[in-house]
Amino acid sequence: MRSIAITEIGAAPAQLNLPEPEPGPAEARVRIIAAGLNPLDWKIADGMLKDSVAYSFPLILGVDGAGVVDEAGPDARFGVGEQVFGRFSGIPRGLGTYAEYAIAAEDDAVVPMPDGMLYTQAAALPTAGMTAVQVVDEAGAEDGTSVLVVGATGGVGRPAVSLAASRGATVIATARADAADAIRGLGAAETVDHGRGDLAEQVRAVHRDGVDAVIDLVSDRAATESLVPLLKPGGTYISTVWALNPDALEAQEIRGVNVQSVPTPELLERVVELVQTGDMRIDVEEEISLPDAPAALARSREGGARGKTVIRV
Ligand SMILES: NC(=O)c1ccc[n+]([C@@H]2O[C@H](COP(=O)([O-])OP(=O)(O)OC[C@H]3O[C@@H](n4cnc5c(N)ncnc54)[C@H](OP(=O)(O)O)[C@@H]3O)[C@@H](O)[C@H]2O)c1
């Protein structure tokens, strides 16, 4: 089957022809129609998980996907012909979603596709949507609160902005000039251009009393330290890139949370509901074909995402 894989940690992702996987007794094999691209994919190729997960090569990249079950073990949750999507956990077996077939394991956050949803739309939802729900929950976003979203213009940022705003929070979001209108369209009350001067200063100029929460999807340790003083005492700082030292923040009366997304079928069902009610928006920036995935991964590394990239397999 056609796939995009690496042959060793650090190798450039390339198109390889690999054997089709066979499902175990409680597994379903899914003919992947669309796969979602996440920064996690090139981080895995760089070896980010090498200390926690056994890598096996060739390793097909990709964790998000949508497609049709074409073979199912006797104890599988899904039957042949069912349309499913979600977050697949095949990476330790080298079986990612950038391929014609992937395996949905028993406990994977893979669920039936909602009626009327396109495969390309579904493939964009899992990692970005579930992470957005988790960070907005952690931030306690609700009526009367203020939330700064740093990294708001990308895959996770857009659903996080729209969900926090729909819960009534006043959302201040980072956006370069080209993306500012779109981010306000998602419900942000204000945008701040992180490419034009000091971010903390720009926010403080408007919010002298500070903000209740920061959802930070991009900053490293040093950058988070410059933003911490924006928080009100008792405020919450959330990082998806593990940039925080929660103990040091506690001494400053700030709750620091390094979020590790925990995908479950229940959380993915919540994402579906929030998207269908319009409370959360997940924007697809571009659809590409499988041979173009290595170039798209290289672009993702460079930054500048304006939503999700979806790969048509
Ligand atoms: N811990 C977890 O479980 C978990 C789950 C999901 C994602 N993540 C991580 O969270 C991060 C964000 O994911 P994503 O899918 O949203 O990435 P993405 O789609 O690549 O989006 C990142 C966005 O941040 C913007 N950006 C870059 N530098 C910035 C800065 N200094 N200030 C403000 N905005 C900036 C980028 O636009 P410009 O380059 O134009 O500024 C881009 O729009 C990734 O590192 C991902 O691996 C972690």
Side-chain angles (χ1 to χ4, degrees):
M1 64 174 180
R2 291 175 301 118
S3 69
I4 301 295
I6 54 166
T7 49
E8 60 181 343
I9 287 174
Q15 186 161 335
L16 295 183
N17 204 6
L18 294 173
E20 292 165 11
E22 288 302 324
E27 296 177 338
R29 184 170 78 175
V30 180
R31 165 83 178 88
I32 297 289
I33 311 278
L37 184 151
N38 292 287
L40 176 63
D41 304 337
W42 52 260
K43 292 182 184 182
I44 285 174
D46 288 351
M48 185 180 85
L49 302 183
K50 68 179 184 326
D51 296 330
S52 52
V53 167
Y55 278 55
S56 80
F57 300 102
L59 187 157
I60 301 170
L61 298 175
V63 295
D64 288 346
V68 184
V69 174
D70 88 317
E71 203 179 315
D75 305 323
R77 283 188 292 142
F78 305 110
V80 170
E82 257 189 276
Q83 299 175 305
V84 298
F85 84 107
R87 167 119 169 189
F88 292 69
S89 66
I91 289 295
R93 288 194 276 167
L95 297 174
T97 56
Y98 291 12
E100 289 179 272
Y101 296 93
I103 297 291
E106 193 175 4
D107 298 329
D108 280 358
V110 173
V111 301
M113 291 245 306
D115 287 343
M117 189 176 275
L118 301 173
Y119 291 109
T120 46
Q121 198 185 353
L125 303 187
T127 297
M130 290 190 279
T131 307
V133 171
Q134 280 187 252
V135 295
V136 171
D137 282 352
E138 281 286 357
E142 59 181 24
D143 223 359
T145 63
S146 51
V147 180
L148 170 65
V149 182
V150 183
T153 36
V156 179
R158 287 170 184 245
V161 166
S162 55
L163 181 58
S166 72
R167 290 191 182 165
T170 299
V171 178
I172 306 129
T174 58
R176 295 184 195 275
D178 67 284
D181 285 348
I183 298 303
R184 276 194 224 99
L186 294 173
E190 301 157 32
T191 54
V192 196
D193 187 343
H194 54 285
R196 303 187 65 183
D198 186 89
L199 177 60
E201 267 175 31
Q202 293 185 67
V203 176
R204 195 176 299 107
V206 182
H207 298 273
R208 299 212 167 274
D209 296 336
V211 298
D212 295 295
V214 176
I215 294 174
D216 196 331
L217 308 167
V218 290
S219 301
D220 60 14
R221 174 71 59 92
T224 61
E225 283 169 3
S226 73
L227 297 174
V228 166
L230 289 175
L231 281 163
K232 296 175 185 172
T236 300
Y237 201 125
I238 294 152
S239 167
T240 58
V241 292
W242 288 74
L244 303 175
N245 177 344
D247 292 337
L249 290 174
E250 197 179 343
Q252 301 172 65
E253 292 180 62
I254 300 298
R255 194 170 72 93
V257 186
N258 290 308
V259 162
Q260 183 56 51
S261 78
V262 183
T264 64
E266 295 73 27
L267 185 54
L268 189 54
E269 297 285 12
R270 263 182 84 195
V271 169
V272 169
E273 200 179 313
L274 290 166
V275 167
Q276 288 184 326
T277 56
D279 289 322
M280 186 164 80
R281 279 249 318 261
I282 298 180
D283 294 339
V284 175
E285 176 187 9
E286 59 171 356
E287 291 180 21
I288 60 166
S289 58
L290 191 66
D292 295 329
L297 286 163
R299 282 197 298 281
S300 169
R301 276 179 195 278
E302 298 300 314
R306 295 290 178 263
K308 296 292 300 174
T309 294
V310 173
I311 302 157
R312 276 181 275 99
V313 179

